[in-house]
Amino acid sequence: MGGGLPATAAKAAAAYRRDGIAGLERGVALVEAVQSGNPAGIPVAAGEPDRNDYAAWLLRYDLLDDERRAALRTRQGFFAVQPLISVVMPTYNPKPAWLVEVIESVRQQIYPHWELCIADDCSSNAEIRTILERYQREDSRIKVVFRPKNGHISAASNSAIEVATGDWIALLDHDDLLSEQALFWVAEAINQQPEARLIYSDEDKIDADGVRFGAYFKTDWNRPLFYSQNMISHLGVYHTALVREVGGFQVGMEGSQDYDLALRCIERIEDHQIHHIARVLYHWRVHQESTAMSSDAKPYAQMAGERALTAHFARRGVNATVERVKDSYRVRYALPDQLPLVSLIIPTRNGLDLLRTCVQSVLALTTYPNYEILIVDNGSDDPATLAWLAGVQDDRRVRVLRDDRPFNYSALNNGAVPHARGELLGLLNNDLEVITPDWLDEMVSHALQPGIGAVGARLWYPDNTLQHGGVIVGLGGVAGHAHVHMARQHAGYFGRTSLLSAFSAVTAACLVIRKSIFEEVGGLNEADLAVAFNDVDLCLRVREAGYTNMLTPYAELYHYESATRGLDDTPEKSARFNREVAYMKQRWEPLLQHDPAYSPNLSLLYSDFSLAWPPRLAAPHPA
């Protein structure tokens, strides 16, 4: 859901009060809400401040002054654990000025307990050796290994690791920069998260003039997204014992050696041992030979990443294939030989044209063969609709259940579940139309994976702008859809809505879940959430039970957005909606402030992943 000028916001808010997520989306569409500096490609309105002015944001929220430095130094003095952090840096013929800058960025760290372990991979430029020898003489915390022959980045990194004596290893490239406070926040995380074994931070880019841009504000640990892109990347910090346990870097994976290392490490630890620091601690230098500029600079890196992922799944015994998709990867999980039955539940009332389009598109296009359709008829009285409902049951895959209770979306779906014969449930709106014939194959393949809960699809408005690409908890006060009205040619924030990705919630307009999980968490909340947010609440309870909810963008359908229900514009309906908002705020308040699948550095006022002013970051933990 987007926002914009005051009049726009007022109209959108009225729609939100009337109709929840759906109403606000329609309101935003009608009044052409503005979104700025954004992957949706919608320009900022005249006079509207640029919400993505990163330079201004840095000045306001990321600038270190003497008072701030002093506060951080005081705080670190109270750390119960003062870990030695070994910064590991392979180098080979860097620009001498950049080499000096990266070394100085380590020496200027606020946190003092570090060592810099450099392995020079037989640089041919004699000036490099001179610089390294000088630093080694001047600072006893700097260790340098001069390799006798060039072995490339994996071997050089291993040489640096061999001389590391710290409890933790932080990976640094020879042409990048650490934030002055990087190791402080790492040490703070180690103290606050003693179970952590792998830590990663946000990152940005820096150009030849020292201008920072292109910040990637990441989610907390997000396995589906990590399988799509190396979201750990920079700054990656690993428990030294873990790195040694997996044998360090693997020769032959050059270009994606850090991705391969992370993949092998996560095989040895639990998800809760992977910790994200939601701060930019690493500046990735952009130049012509850098993958920060483009993955085309090092095409072999993409191929190595594909091999690393394939090997990871083979080691885990997972029947999956990996393919490269632009700058990322797509994981395809094999379906079992015996395909489980999927029960597709479609509540409806009248609206024959939409319902018929939905059901016929499922029947005609869906390639997954083992499904049934349960149409829950909630009091249809249109003769043409009733006649069609009687006739459609001639298809053995379709059954109609009559349920005349007052409209309660949660109750209608829950009431159909005992009639469902499938191992999996598919919750569908009656106003969908299939785009990708293998949509159900795709969703089922993920829903069957261990640890996966609800699986959502990517839904498009008829004008080919995005309707659903995952739900952000807290957006607009309770929850909203990511990148609403994003143009189809765009990929979303760092590819977010175009890649497999975990979200805290997905819409039940098109959702697949194992029936056992749905029943385990008690189904939809028909007592407190009859109409709005019941799908969000369901997903959050699924997440609370230990499962991961996710979006697959490879299952695509058109969504005509509740065209049969109309607006909730009566006093009674408005009161009901307000009660449902109050329930969600009471039940899920902590998540509404910090959705782990969304960054606290990004806005909860707009759906376009623009910057938060201010970020929702806590101060350093008190002593």
Side-chain angles (χ1 to χ4, degrees):
M1 286 165 282
L5 301 172
T8 297
K11 293 176 183 178
Y16 184 49
R17 288 192 296 272
R18 285 197 309 269
D19 210 25
I21 292 176
L24 185 49
E25 287 161 359
R26 285 197 295 276
V28 167
L30 289 171
V31 298
E32 298 180 19
V34 293
Q35 301 182 29
S36 76
N38 60 79
I42 302 173
V44 179
E48 177 86 351
D50 183 359
R51 301 193 302 275
N52 282 316
D53 186 340
Y54 186 50
W57 189 91
L58 288 174
L59 284 173
R60 185 172 298 185
Y61 304 119
D62 193 59
L63 187 64
L64 276 181
D65 55 20
D66 289 343
E67 181 179 356
R68 174 72 169 165
R69 290 185 184 94
L72 296 182
R73 289 191 175 102
T74 298
R75 167 60 196 145
Q76 72 192 14
F78 291 96
F79 287 164
V81 178
Q82 302 276 344
L84 177 63
I85 301 171
S86 299
V87 181
V88 166
M89 187 179 77
T91 186
Y92 176 73
N93 283 340
K95 289 182 68 171
W98 290 354
L99 179 60
V100 169
E101 286 184 30
V102 68
I103 293 173
E104 288 297 334
S105 79
V106 179
R107 297 185 76 197
Q108 292 166 11
Q109 288 298 301
I110 290 172
Y111 181 76
H113 305 300
W114 55 262
E115 62 179 8
L116 175 57
C117 304
I118 304 172
D120 179 68
D121 200 22
C122 201
S123 292
S124 57
N125 182 352
E127 188 178 356
I128 302 304
R129 187 178 189 104
T130 300
I131 292 170
L132 294 177
E133 288 178 337
R134 173 172 61 83
Y135 273 113
Q136 191 174 26
R137 287 193 306 270
E138 293 178 355
D139 195 326
S140 61
R141 297 172 295 179
I142 297 177
K143 303 177 179 179
V144 183
V145 176
F146 292 101
R147 289 173 51 82
K149 59 181 290 188
N150 182 266
H152 302 296
I153 192 168
S154 294
S157 297
N158 286 338
S159 293
I161 290 171
E162 286 176 6
V163 299
T165 60
D167 294 325
W168 291 82
I169 288 173
L171 304 181
L172 178 61
D173 289 348
H174 67 185
D175 47 6
D176 297 335
L177 298 172
L178 285 185
S179 161
E180 182 182 356
Q181 53 189 319
L183 299 186
F184 167 86
W185 290 111
V186 171
E188 202 245 12
I190 292 167
N191 276 269
Q192 296 299 322
Q193 307 289 334
E195 79 286 355
R197 292 296 176 269
L198 195 166
I199 298 169
Y200 66 98
S201 77
D202 297 344
E203 59 190 90
D204 63 12
K205 298 179 177 67
I206 189 166
D207 67 14
D209 296 321
V211 176
R212 292 168 54 186
F213 67 101
Y216 184 6
F217 292 117
K218 305 172 187 177
T219 72
D220 289 349
W221 176 237
N222 189 324
R223 186 178 290 266
L225 184 58
F226 178 64
Y227 286 161
S228 301
Q229 59 176 215
N230 181 10
M231 59 174 286
I232 291 177
S233 194
H234 305 308
L235 174 68
V237 185
Y238 298 77
H239 198 245
T240 303
L242 177 62
V243 173
R244 295 207 162 109
E245 181 183 340
V246 302
F249 288 92
Q250 187 171 336
V251 174
M253 288 296 182
E254 285 74 17
S256 283
Q257 70 285 338
D258 53 346
Y259 197 17
D260 173 70
L261 175 68
L263 285 163
R264 287 183 289 117
C265 284
I266 67 172
E267 295 166 15
R268 307 292 184 100
I269 59 178
E270 302 296 326
D271 284 359
H272 73 271
Q273 296 177 292
I274 304 171
H275 179 71
H276 168 224
I277 301 173
R279 298 176 186 272
V280 173
L281 304 186
Y282 194 102
H283 314 308
W284 196 3
R285 193 184 298 273
V286 173
H287 55 88
Q288 289 301 118
E289 298 177 0
S290 157
T291 51
M293 173 72 77
S294 167
S295 63
D296 294 339
K298 295 181 179 178
Y300 65 89
Q302 281 287 100
M303 292 184 281
E306 181 183 357
R307 287 188 287 112
L309 274 169
T310 300
H312 168 75
F313 289 119
R315 288 190 298 269
R316 292 182 57 219
V318 176
N319 189 357
T321 57
V322 179
E323 61 187 63
R324 281 172 277 146
V325 181
K326 295 184 179 177
D327 295 337
S328 57
Y329 307 96
R330 177 181 179 181
V331 178
R332 294 179 183 263
Y333 296 99
L335 289 164
D337 293 335
Q338 289 293 112
L339 296 176
L341 179 67
V342 184
S343 297
L344 303 176
I345 299 172
I346 307 176
T348 192
R349 174 181 167 84
N350 296 323
L352 175 57
D353 289 343
L354 286 169
L355 176 64
R356 180 168 49 201
T357 296
C358 175
V359 173
Q360 288 182 347
S361 77
V362 172
L363 293 172
L365 297 177
T366 301
T367 56
Y368 188 89
N370 197 18
Y371 66 89
E372 63 173 359
I373 297 176
L374 301 183
I375 301 175
V376 184
D377 177 21
N378 183 220
S380 292
D381 53 13
D382 170 53
T385 300
L386 293 172
W388 184 84
L389 287 172
V392 75
Q393 295 180 86
D394 292 341
D395 190 311
R396 61 179 179 79
R397 296 171 290 181
V398 182
R399 286 185 283 151
V400 177
L401 308 174
R402 182 78 177 191
D403 190 333
D404 288 336
R405 77 182 82 189
F407 178 75
N408 180 319
Y409 177 85
S410 298
L412 292 173
N413 281 283
N414 289 344
V417 169
H419 300 275
R421 300 167 182 154
E423 179 184 335
L424 295 104
L425 304 174
L427 307 185
L428 303 185
N429 274 22
N430 66 346
D431 55 354
L432 297 172
E433 184 176 359
V434 172
I435 298 174
T436 53
D438 63 348
W439 69 279
L440 194 51
D441 307 74
E442 172 69 13
M443 296 180 77
V444 169
S445 73
H446 293 288
L448 291 176
Q449 295 307 305
I452 295 297
V455 178
R458 188 160 62 161
L459 306 180
W460 298 95
Y461 287 114
D463 65 356
N464 285 310
T465 61
L466 189 66
Q467 189 271 329
H468 173 259
V471 171
I472 298 169
V473 178
L475 183 62
V478 176
H481 293 179
H483 288 313
V484 168
H485 300 298
M486 183 185 78
R488 195 158 187 170
Q489 68 267 28
H490 293 281
Y493 182 78
F494 286 85
R496 185 71 189 280
T497 55
S498 302
L499 301 173
L500 296 170
S501 177
F503 280 88
S504 292
V506 292
T507 181
C510 183
L511 180 156
V512 171
I513 188 172
R514 279 175 274 165
K515 184 179 181 181
S516 61
I517 298 176
F518 186 87
E519 293 175 333
E520 176 188 344
V521 302
L524 294 162
N525 183 346
E526 57 189 78
D528 302 298
L529 300 170
V531 179
F533 306 119
N534 40 54
D535 48 0
V536 177
D537 173 76
L538 170 70
C539 287
L540 296 184
R541 285 183 285 115
V542 168
R543 182 185 176 277
E544 192 174 55
Y547 301 97
T548 296
N549 303 310
M550 63 171 290
L551 172 86
T552 171
Y554 306 111
E556 297 185 284
L557 301 91
Y558 284 118
H559 188 198
Y560 297 97
E561 190 54 66
S562 304
T564 60
R565 184 159 67 86
L567 297 176
D568 290 349
D569 52 2
T570 67
E572 295 80 10
K573 290 179 179 178
S574 179
R576 182 264 309 154
F577 176 68
N578 289 334
R579 287 195 303 271
E580 291 172 336
V581 168
Y583 173 84
M584 289 295 292
K585 288 185 174 181
Q586 181 274 326
R587 175 67 173 86
W588 299 110
E589 181 62 30
L591 275 176
L592 300 188
Q593 295 302 315
H594 179 63
D595 182 346
Y598 187 68
S599 173
N601 294 296
L602 299 176
S603 177
L604 288 178
L605 300 176
Y606 305 90
S607 72
D608 59 1
F609 288 66
S610 52
L611 296 171
W613 301 74
R616 299 174 301 285
L617 289 172
H621 289 274

